[in-house]
Amino acid sequence: MATEVLMPALSPTMEEGTLAKWLVKEGDTVASGDILAEIETDKATMEFEAVDEGVIGKILIEAGTEGVKVNTPIAVLVAEGEEVPAEGAKAETAPAPAALNDSEGKVAAPASAAPAPAAPKADTSPDWPEGTTMKTQTVREALRDAMAEEMRSSDEVFVMGEEVAEYQGAYKITQGLLDEFGARRVIDTPITEHGFAGIGVGAAFGGLRPIVEFMTFNFAMQAIDHIINSAAKTLYMSGGQMGCPIVFRGPNGAAARVGAQHSQCYAAWYAQIPGLKVVMPYSAADAKGLLKTAIRDPNPVIFLENEILYGRSFEVPALDDFTIPFGKAKIWREGSDVTIVSFGIGMTYALEAAERLAKDGISAEVIDLRTIRPMDTDAILASVMKTNRLITVEEGFPQGSVGNYITSVVMEQAFDYLDAPVINLAGKDVPMPYAANLEKLALVTTDEVVEAARKVTYR
Amino acid sequence: MAVKKPAAKSNVSAEELLGYYRDMLLIRRFEEKAGQLYGMGLIGGFCHLYIGQEAVVVGLEAAAKDGDKRITSYRDHGHMLACGMDPKGVMAELTGREGGYSKGKGGSMHMFSKEKHFYGGHGIVGAQVPLGAGLAFSDKYKGNDNVTFTYFGDGAANQGQVYETYNMAMLWDLPVVFVIENNKYAMGTSVQRATRSPSLWERGAAYGIKGEEVDGMDVLAVKAAGEKAVAHCRAGKGPYILEVMTYRYRGHSMSDPAKYRTRDEVQKMRSERDAIEHVRELLLQGKHASEDDLKNIDKEIKAVVNEAADFSKESPEPALEELWTDIYA
Ligand SMILES: Cc1ncc(C[n+]2csc(CCOP(=O)(O)OP(=O)(O)O)c2C)c(N)n1
Ligand SMILES: [Mg+2]
């Protein structure tokens, strides 16, 4: 049976090319793999191989022809002894490609249309039942308890990282875990972030629930390829088959006087990635409840802690199994004049500012996002619709900040409610300086929050 | 053609030999068809063919048992077919259709099968190496005797994370076989232009990992080496490295004109060392099969591949709603 040989596409973008040279002539016998012709694309000259065996019955396009469209028949291949079909008679062609890149059909309305603004429904239910006994704990202890509890309840959970076992954790977050769970489940790694982040992701693919501790998130830049390309995207790339239940945790952001390479906040970076969940707790109760949720979550979770907050004490509910859901912000302080949204250590400045503002008769509502992705935008919108003013506070860099995103959401969904431009307070647009005075300047401050609140309330 | 006798140690039955022939031929015909569909615009983007390297995966799969895992790079079609994934599902993923292994959302470089313990399909050079060690970690942790085959290229062998992984894999005795598919080129860079190391497998020695060089154009040699490596891992002795010397006949991807090597070099490998031809000769010489038997196998394989190609064209493109699914579990 005669087969047409078609002009091939030889690159992702090729639509036509020059048939530079035939390396066979009519009557030649060819086998699959033999080079038939040389074809010039805009980038290179490529060899074109036969896929079928047979005899070159007829060459349809002369050597030297330019602008030969992809899929044009260029020759006819016949079986040994077979006649070349007469002009017009249909040789068997492989079917023409289906219309794949129909520009209209591809990403239709549901994909890109902005969601119709619905009335925000903020979940303001309490995190624990009224009357629950509370105990005072540091964030450090709360984090350790969360891990220990989850490790007790599931053998699939293990901790891996630099100095997490014998040394009891560089910041003592894994204190006591080696004693209780042994070296099989509390694993010291060499200083190889890219490597052990990858091993963690592989172990999650293999059915375990790793907690990967980065000594600080600054070092996770070594591993970010695995966090994003391997952990966050695999579920999607596998059409839903292969999830990656893993927690990447450790201190994030500025500590004190550790300089530019050890003081970055990565909240906005990870918040950008579909497939990741991003948590940044402020209080000890949230640290505990959210870390337990993170460990149980079937997705990769970035859990951003803060060295300065580790030693702070908060009231934590004395419950056997206490968790906080993702995507639920917490209103720390109700108010009517201005909304201040923050997360993590930014809450320190937000709360201090609210206290000072109250003395001057400005009533600020302070919202702690707790999880940045998913983000409880309903809580923000509901509050802005009440106060008509918004300030965001974070320690990260200003361009492409979490606050910038919040602003865009509020612009789209509550523009008419705003009585003043939104102000995004962030770290200064500079690498973190070492000098004490400069470091102070580089960080966001309570004074700046107070000043911004006056500005948006015109007072 | 001079054919080496199979090594005495590899005890293979005629039936097994025929099986390898079939499996290798399926990969070759499948890849040729994929190349053709690419030429017709039905497959887009990057498409890395495995033609020439068939004996590597077929030999190693012959050494694997149920439950063993495998993971590789973007040059993954052969690995998927060799571990028993459905050619229809693979081809339909290449055409980006709903019937593909990733519903059309992964493409040539990103396919997975939980059922067959195939863990992808990774596009970042070297990234699958720690991932493979992590899979092995999960098996060791669970206390079973599964082994993970972690495949990577000669180019990937220069990535730092490979050595981070070697160190931890040995430190923790992980049951992982590191398979370096040395096809002599990383895109257009030959091994000699990328390293002064005389061999890639010997680098494992720095971490205490044993290994060896294997003739990747001889499926029986690959199988024998695979069995040795797997036995080492299952005995709890930690990782093992196989540097499998092979050759890719086609360009790096469909859009590579492959001007960094001569036509003669390619032709010489094809005519003197072709792995499929080698098994074919063994079958005929040993009178395990007749020319007619082999022709029939050829026909069967062609039918399977054509069926896969038809399926990959008929399967619809994924529903638009799929854009928003599988982001979170
Ligand atoms: C980290 C990274 N760098 C570069 C690339 C681009 N790239 C894709 S394949 C490749 C060559 C890899 O060669 P090798 O490891 O020998 O595998 P082979 O293609 O021969 O199977 C390069 C440089 C990439 N995908 N990822
Ligand atoms: Mg290579």
Side-chain angles (χ1 to χ4, degrees):
Chain A
M1 199 176 7
T3 315
E4 285 181 342
V5 179
L6 305 180
M7 180 74 169
L10 295 168
S11 80
T13 49
M14 173 174 165
E15 284 171 5
E16 57 173 48
T18 300
L19 207 169
K21 187 167 160 198
W22 279 104
L23 296 168
V24 292
K25 53 186 189 314
E26 290 177 3
D28 281 0
T29 303
V30 296
S32 83
D34 286 354
I35 297 154
L36 298 180
E38 282 182 3
I39 288 169
E40 268 170 33
T41 69
D42 52 348
K43 293 189 208 74
T45 304
M46 312 265 294
E47 290 168 349
F48 176 42
E49 292 181 8
V51 181
D52 294 304
E53 51 205 8
V55 175
I56 301 289
K58 192 164 176 53
I59 284 178
L60 302 172
I61 304 275
E62 287 306 312
T65 312
E66 288 177 21
V68 183
K69 293 260 182 291
V70 166
N71 276 333
T72 311
I74 55 175
V76 179
L77 202 62
V78 295
E80 201 86 47
E82 190 193 352
E83 289 286 312
V84 181
E87 205 80 36
K90 196 83 191 90
E92 187 194 77
T93 10
L100 273 178
N101 292 323
D102 169 1
S103 57
E104 271 112 16
K106 226 171 181 187
V107 177
S112 52
K121 274 209 189 70
D123 174 2
T124 50
S125 61
D127 287 332
W128 49 83
E130 197 125 8
T132 300
T133 316
M134 304 295 283
K135 61 178 178 202
T136 306
Q137 257 197 330
T138 61
V139 171
R140 173 177 286 113
E141 290 161 343
L143 290 167
R144 186 215 41 218
D145 286 359
M147 286 191 279
E149 284 174 23
E150 293 305 299
M151 289 176 80
R152 270 172 222 136
S153 71
S154 168
D155 184 63
E156 288 169 1
V157 182
F158 70 96
V159 192
M160 175 164 76
E162 294 160 21
E163 311 292 359
V164 298
E166 309 264 332
Y167 193 80
Q168 310 291 322
Y171 296 97
K172 300 287 176 283
I173 308 301
T174 52
Q175 184 114 43
L177 295 184
L178 176 65
D179 284 349
E180 180 174 354
F181 300 103
R184 174 174 168 265
R185 301 182 64 195
V186 185
I187 302 161
D188 277 328
T189 63
I191 307 166
T192 59
E193 289 81 8
H194 199 189
F196 70 70
I199 285 183
V201 173
F205 290 166
L208 301 183
R209 295 183 166 264
I211 303 170
V212 172
E213 174 175 307
F214 290 115
M215 194 174 283
T216 81
F217 260 91
N218 301 286
F219 315 134
M221 279 203 284
Q222 294 281 330
I224 202 160
D225 178 62
H226 278 302
I227 297 172
I228 292 169
N229 272 325
S230 304
K233 296 180 184 172
T234 297
L235 186 71
Y236 198 79
M237 296 192 304
S238 67
Q241 286 184 77
M242 206 147 290
C244 185
I246 190 168
V247 178
F248 296 104
R249 51 154 290 273
N252 164 71
R257 310 287 314 279
V258 289
Q261 291 187 335
H262 288 72
S263 306
Q264 194 169 332
C265 173
Y266 293 89
W269 280 37
Y270 293 112
Q272 230 242 331
I273 307 301
L276 288 181
K277 295 190 178 179
V278 183
V279 184
M280 191 152 157
Y282 165 61
S283 74
D286 287 349
K288 182 171 183 189
L290 289 166
L291 184 53
K292 282 166 69 81
T293 301
I295 295 167
R296 294 176 195 184
D297 199 279
N299 301 288
V301 180
I302 302 290
F303 198 90
L304 302 169
E305 302 160 8
N306 186 286
E307 193 191 328
I308 293 165
L309 292 178
Y310 279 151
R312 295 237 182 120
S313 293
F314 295 83
E315 293 297 286
V316 178
L319 293 169
D320 285 343
D321 193 14
F322 151 72
T323 59
I324 301 229
F326 288 170
K328 184 180 172 216
K330 177 183 163 90
I331 299 174
W332 277 79
R333 193 181 167 116
E334 294 200 23
S336 52
D337 297 332
V338 54
T339 301
I340 305 177
V341 175
S342 190
F343 47 90
I345 193 158
M347 285 299 298
T348 317
Y349 313 115
L351 289 169
E352 275 175 18
E355 195 67 43
R356 271 170 49 189
L357 288 164
K359 290 195 183 111
D360 296 343
I362 298 174
S363 161
E365 177 144 301
V366 182
I367 298 180
D368 179 359
L369 284 180
R370 305 199 286 195
T371 56
I372 297 162
R373 175 183 268 269
M375 188 186 282
D376 189 355
T377 49
D378 278 353
I380 302 170
L381 290 166
S383 178
V384 168
M385 288 177 182
K386 181 172 72 172
T387 66
N388 311 113
R389 293 159 166 95
L390 175 65
I391 296 168
T392 65
V393 183
E394 69 199 286
E395 270 200 351
F397 295 129
Q399 188 167 336
S401 67
V402 175
N404 289 172
Y405 174 71
I406 294 171
T407 306
S408 77
V409 171
V410 170
M411 292 275 281
E412 281 176 23
Q413 300 189 36
F415 184 71
D416 292 339
Y417 291 85
L418 287 173
D419 285 348
V422 177
I423 294 182
N424 297 146
L425 293 170
K428 304 303 176 292
D429 205 8
V430 297
M432 185 63 72
Y434 167 71
N437 60 334
L438 296 183
E439 185 179 65
K440 251 196 213 125
L441 277 182
L443 292 164
V444 65
T445 61
T446 302
D447 283 346
E448 286 168 347
V449 182
V450 169
E451 193 191 320
R454 290 192 198 288
K455 208 164 160 186
V456 298
T457 54
Y458 308 106
R459 287 203 252 181
Chain B
M1 192 176 77
V3 171
K4 285 195 249 164
K5 286 258 145 34
K9 59 180 182 261
S10 53
N11 266 323
V12 247
S13 67
E15 209 171 310
E16 284 169 310
L17 203 54
L18 272 166
Y20 306 152
Y21 181 72
R22 208 178 247 118
D23 291 348
M24 290 196 288
L25 201 61
L26 172 64
I27 296 174
R28 177 140 328 162
R29 296 286 172 260
F30 182 96
E31 292 292 66
E32 285 167 356
K33 180 59 82 179
Q36 203 178 24
L37 296 186
Y38 191 93
M40 292 164 61
L42 279 159
I43 297 172
F46 287 130
C47 181
H48 309 84
L49 301 183
Y50 199 62
I51 297 175
Q53 301 182 211
E54 297 91 344
V56 182
V57 286
V58 171
L60 286 167
E61 284 297 337
K65 74 159 177 55
D66 222 25
D68 287 347
K69 299 180 166 65
R70 58 280 289 160
I71 187 167
T72 188
S73 70
Y74 45 82
R75 196 179 301 286
D76 54 358
H77 312 164
H79 304 69
M80 294 187 278
L81 296 174
C83 74
M85 286 169 67
D86 183 354
K88 291 208 287 273
V90 179
M91 197 69 95
E93 190 61 38
L94 295 183
T95 54
R97 305 303 176 89
E98 184 186 273
Y101 266 98
S102 297
K103 304 181 204 161
K105 301 194 327 186
S108 163
M109 301 192 287
H110 307 300
M111 270 178 261
F112 304 80
S113 169
K114 251 203 164 136
E115 186 203 345
K116 300 290 179 192
H117 309 291
F118 179 74
Y119 288 83
H122 297 269
I124 304 298
V125 169
Q128 75 274 24
V129 179
L131 297 174
L135 290 166
F137 179 98
S138 74
D139 281 320
K140 176 151 204 257
Y141 187 94
K142 291 175 189 163
N144 60 44
D145 71 343
N146 296 335
V147 163
T148 299
F149 293 89
T150 299
Y151 295 88
F152 56 102
D154 47 281
N158 291 320
Q159 286 281 41
Q161 58 181 321
V162 171
Y163 301 93
E164 301 189 12
T165 304
Y166 278 3
N167 189 44
M168 286 181 277
M170 191 64 200
L171 186 65
W172 300 333
D173 295 325
L174 300 183
V176 51
V177 182
F178 295 111
V179 183
I180 307 171
E181 293 196 63
N182 185 341
N183 60 10
K184 307 202 168 39
Y185 295 91
M187 281 191 172
T189 305
S190 67
V191 174
Q192 292 72 29
R193 290 203 305 116
T195 182
R196 289 278 168 88
S197 296
S199 86
L200 300 174
W201 71 268
E202 281 174 298
R203 294 180 184 177
Y207 305 88
I209 308 179
K210 295 208 168 96
E212 62 192 84
E213 184 180 303
V214 187
D215 179 357
M217 303 311 262
D218 177 353
V219 71
L220 300 180
V222 176
K223 176 182 183 248
E227 282 167 346
K228 186 171 162 195
V230 160
H232 178 94
C233 291
R234 288 209 220 286
K237 295 182 195 162
Y240 200 89
I241 301 172
L242 298 176
E243 181 177 357
V244 188
M245 310 310 282
T246 182
Y247 199 77
R248 77 167 147 70
Y249 295 174
R250 297 292 189 94
H252 169 73
S253 67
M254 292 303 295
S255 42
D256 169 24
K259 290 285 137 88
Y260 40 81
R261 59 185 187 187
T262 63
R263 201 175 278 176
D264 282 352
E265 179 184 310
V266 183
Q267 214 36 54
K268 202 165 144 71
M269 283 306 278
R270 282 183 104 130
S271 56
E272 292 176 12
R273 294 306 329 276
D274 187 73
I276 298 179
E277 226 20 72
H278 172 63
V279 172
R280 197 185 143 80
E281 297 281 318
L282 287 179
L283 286 166
L284 292 173
Q285 276 179 8
K287 307 226 181 305
H288 305 304
S290 66
E291 288 275 5
D292 275 349
D293 294 338
L294 298 184
K295 270 213 176 98
N296 283 335
I297 293 180
D298 237 359
K299 262 199 205 134
E300 279 167 43
I301 301 280
K302 267 207 167 127
V304 170
V305 168
N306 284 333
E307 198 190 344
D310 290 343
F311 178 77
S312 80
K313 295 174 203 161
E314 284 154 15
S315 177
E317 291 187 87
L320 297 180
E321 299 76 61
E322 279 296 337
L323 180 65
W324 297 102
T325 64
D326 305 323
I327 297 164
Y328 293 105

